[in-house]
Amino acid sequence: MRNKLLIGLAVAASVGLTACGGSSDSASSPAPAQSTDAQAQEGGGQKWADKQYDSFLLNYGVKSQEELLSQNSGSVQSYLVSAESPSTGTVVFTAQLTGDDVDQAEVDKAALAVLNLIGFSDDEVDRVEIVTADSKIRGAANRGDSPLLSK
C-alpha cells in the first residue's frame, strides 16, 4: 500500500488540491453538497465542514493540508483533502486515494479515528464518512460506534 499511497500523494500535489480543504476562500474550493437540510440551505453546511476539517488538522498535529500530505504516514487520514456536510451532524471527507489503494476496513477504521479526533471537541459531530477520490470505497463511523464518544 505504501507505493500506492505515495502515488496518491504525487497526484494530489500535481493537481493542486491545496485549496480543497480547510477554510480557504479560494474559488477552486468544492461546492457544498446538495442537501435539503436547513444547515446546508443556509450556507452553513460548507462552513461547518471547513471548521471540522480545520479541527481535524489541528487534532492530527499538523498546521496545513500541505503538511498533512507531506507526512507520508501511510494512514488514510494523511490523505484527506476536502470535507463537505450533506446534513446536520455529518461530515464527509474525501481521501486522495483510490479503491485500489485501500480496502473497506482501512477506510472504516480511518473514519472512526477521525470521528474520535473531531467529535471529542464538538458534540454536533454525529457521523464521519470518508470516501475515496474514485468513490469506490466509503467508510463511515457514527458517534455511537465510538467507545470514547458514545453516551
Side-chain angles (χ1 to χ4, degrees):
M1 183 172 103
R2 167 75 77 190
N3 288 338
K4 290 179 182 178
L5 292 176
L6 292 175
I7 291 168
L9 176 61
V11 170
S14 69
V15 295
L17 290 172
T18 57
C20 290
S23 58
S24 173
D25 293 328
S26 172
S28 63
S29 293
Q34 295 293 328
S35 173
T36 58
D37 184 82
Q39 176 194 37
Q41 288 178 353
E42 295 170 7
Q46 188 60 46
K47 287 181 183 179
W48 185 78
D50 290 344
K51 176 184 166 198
Q52 300 313 316
Y53 188 87
D54 290 343
S55 176
F56 161 70
L57 291 175
L58 177 70
N59 290 317
Y60 199 70
V62 297
K63 296 178 183 171
S64 67
Q65 185 180 59
E66 294 82 9
E67 185 179 350
L68 178 71
L69 291 171
S70 70
Q71 283 191 338
N72 294 325
S73 73
S75 72
V76 173
Q77 298 94 301
S78 65
Y79 292 90
L80 300 182
V81 294
S82 66
E84 61 183 319
S85 178
S87 61
T88 301
T90 299
V91 61
V92 179
F93 292 91
T94 299
Q96 191 58 40
L97 298 166
T98 68
D100 296 330
D101 298 328
V102 293
D103 61 33
Q104 185 68 52
E106 289 174 296
V107 179
D108 285 336
K109 183 178 175 182
L112 182 59
V114 172
L115 175 66
N116 286 334
L117 283 174
I118 64 175
F120 191 75
S121 60
D122 189 339
D123 291 337
E124 292 181 19
V125 179
D126 292 322
R127 180 177 175 88
V128 168
E129 296 178 17
I130 296 177
V131 63
T132 57
D134 62 1
S135 299
K136 287 185 178 179
I137 298 179
R138 179 179 293 263
N142 295 302
R143 184 170 282 275
D145 298 335
S146 170
L148 298 174
L149 304 176
S150 59
K151 297 174 182 170

